[in-house]
Amino acid sequence: MRGAELTIAQDSPRVGQEFAVVKKTGEVIGDVMDSLGKPMVIASGGESNPYKVIWKKNAAGKNGAFVDYLSIEGFAKDGKKPFGFFSGSLLMTGVCDQ
């Protein structure tokens, strides 16, 4: 078993940037998450279930793949819905207002 250390990057240049998601297609508009192509919506979300979309790209080596993942919670706290985006070792979190 390997040990790990949890770190939080609060000085990221992406803090405060905005993006929009077309819920029907999973397309992300805005350059916060770079250019992601061919989104696959795997859960359309609702009051008690998160909206989920993934992006899969083939890696250069055999049987490798890169997977990016976005989850937006279906509930709103103070009108804001928490989200998480995971890409490689990058994890971004925040809130959506719609």
Side-chain angles (χ1 to χ4, degrees):
M1 179 182 287
R2 291 186 178 184
E5 180 180 336
L6 179 64
T7 61
I8 299 174
Q10 295 180 356
D11 58 349
S12 169
R14 294 181 177 186
V15 171
Q17 290 183 339
E18 297 181 1
F19 66 95
V21 178
V22 180
K23 287 188 79 174
K24 186 174 183 178
T25 64
E27 178 185 7
V28 175
I29 301 167
D31 44 328
V32 173
M33 295 173 188
D34 302 323
S35 58
L36 299 171
K38 299 182 182 179
M40 292 182 290
V41 176
I42 58 172
S44 54
E47 288 292 318
S48 61
N49 296 306
Y51 170 82
K52 297 177 183 180
V53 61
I54 61 171
W55 296 265
K56 180 184 171 198
K57 296 172 261 179
N58 291 332
K62 287 185 178 182
N63 301 322
F66 297 105
V67 177
D68 297 328
Y69 170 74
L70 172 66
S71 178
I72 302 172
E73 293 296 330
F75 63 89
K77 183 177 180 181
D78 301 330
K80 308 250 181 207
K81 297 179 180 183
F83 77 86
F85 174 72
F86 183 74
S87 176
S89 62
L90 171 68
L91 173 63
M92 292 189 288
T93 61
V95 292
C96 297
D97 57 12
Q98 291 288 331

